[in-house]
Amino acid sequence: MSIATTFSWSLRHAFARPTWTLTEPFAVERKFPRPSDVRLAVDNLNLYINDAHILKNVSVSIPQNKITCIIGPSGCGKSTLLRTLNRLVDTNEGIKISGNVNFGTQDIISAKGSDITEIRRNIGLVPQRPCPLPMSIYDNVAYGCRIHGIRKKAKLDVIVRHYLEAVGLWEEVKSRLNAPANGLSIGQQQRLCLARSLAVEPSYLLADESTSALDPISSKKIEELFVKLKENYSIVMVTHTLRQALRIADYVIFMYLGEVIEQGPANEVFNNPQHSLTKNYLSGAFS
């Protein structure tokens, strides 16, 4: 019997994948050029923090226009790997890195200065807890565009509405765009942060347990948005919830103690895991 059958029939169908047909506002003219080669791949990555070996010989290739879920027990390096993909791990002290993280033909690890800013635009991060900027709802969405040189209000008006519609927030906030963003509910704040990330048109969207602080209804909205967004974006998501990975993952990376134990299409990993550690994790032997 496969690991996936340990989940009941009713549970699997209760959390079935949403089905979507993309309509506006997702088909838009791009404001920023997208690199011709947007493949994201990690090759023999090792990362130390104050001599602690956090990531060990990690090699993965992230598929395009798919949802990749990184799963594994707490403390296994999932979030560190995610933050390394756009150099946010640099904020830690005592970092030492070897290996390569390649975005197209560029090695992210060796990038400096303005290159890192452009990398972070192309590989955006939605954090675990929403972090709206201390400004208005409107200015939160427009913030990144202004940094990258878009200043005309008429153009910003179009962008702000477009991405608030994209995350299903426009109708809820259109009458109070100048109100402080921190007055929104937690679920609304998370969708606002997603709109802010999308407004600078990343190629990859990183999500670090971005539904863990949300109620079930808000979590479902975010999951449905990710399923919709993969038409135009490649999404890499850290999750502690196997049911969530079952619902939305196209590709799965299983990590344990800083190593990638197994990776592959979600159906293969969940239904026919090759490594005993993967089988034990999926069966609930540890978490």
Side-chain angles (χ1 to χ4, degrees), residues 123-244:
I123 307 174
L125 177 70
V126 181
Q128 181 175 6
R129 289 190 170 273
C131 53
L133 300 171
M135 54 185 65
S136 70
I137 295 168
Y138 181 103
D139 288 336
N140 263 267
V141 182
Y143 181 79
C145 296
R146 286 175 172 144
I147 285 178
H148 289 281
I150 298 175
R151 301 295 172 83
K152 291 185 178 179
K153 188 176 185 304
K155 191 165 189 177
L156 288 173
D157 286 348
V158 172
I159 292 168
V160 169
R161 175 168 181 164
H162 175 83
Y163 286 102
L164 288 175
E165 286 180 340
V167 300
L169 199 53
W170 173 254
E171 292 298 326
E172 299 172 35
V173 303
K174 64 182 181 182
S175 63
R176 49 181 175 140
L177 292 176
N178 293 321
N182 60 11
L184 297 173
S185 71
I186 295 298
Q188 289 173 325
Q189 287 182 21
Q190 192 65 298
R191 283 185 284 151
L192 178 67
C193 292
L194 179 56
R196 189 177 69 209
S197 295
L198 295 176
V200 294
E201 299 176 344
S203 300
Y204 284 81
L205 191 64
L206 311 179
D208 190 3
E209 296 192 72
S210 53
T211 62
S212 64
L214 305 183
D215 62 85
I217 293 174
S218 297
S219 294
K220 183 179 179 182
K221 286 182 179 179
I222 295 294
E223 287 183 10
E224 289 172 342
L225 282 169
F226 284 160
V227 171
K228 185 162 35 172
L229 289 167
K230 71 179 181 181
E231 291 286 333
N232 293 318
Y233 304 88
S234 304
I235 298 169
V236 187
M237 184 176 186
V238 165
T239 180
H240 272 118
T241 309
L242 277 176
R243 286 178 299 179
Q244 184 173 69

Side-chain angles (χ1 to χ4, degrees), residues 44-114:
N44 198 33
L45 178 68
N46 286 272
L47 183 144
Y48 298 81
I49 301 178
N50 294 324
D51 296 324
H53 199 176
I54 308 299
L55 298 178
K56 305 170 184 176
N57 304 313
V58 170
S59 294
V60 296
S61 184
I62 307 297
Q64 292 177 253
N65 298 107
K66 305 287 185 185
I67 297 176
T68 297
C69 282
I70 306 176
I71 62 173
S74 296
C76 69
K78 303 186 298 297
S79 293
T80 301
L81 174 59
L82 201 71
R83 291 168 62 83
T84 305
L85 296 180
N86 72 346
R87 291 284 297 272
L88 279 176
V89 75
D90 293 10
T91 59
N92 294 86
E93 294 184 0
I95 288 286
K96 185 170 70 173
I97 303 177
S98 65
N100 304 97
V101 178
N102 295 311
F103 177 64
T105 58
Q106 183 179 20
D107 179 14
I108 289 171
I109 300 303
S110 63
K112 298 183 184 300
S114 60

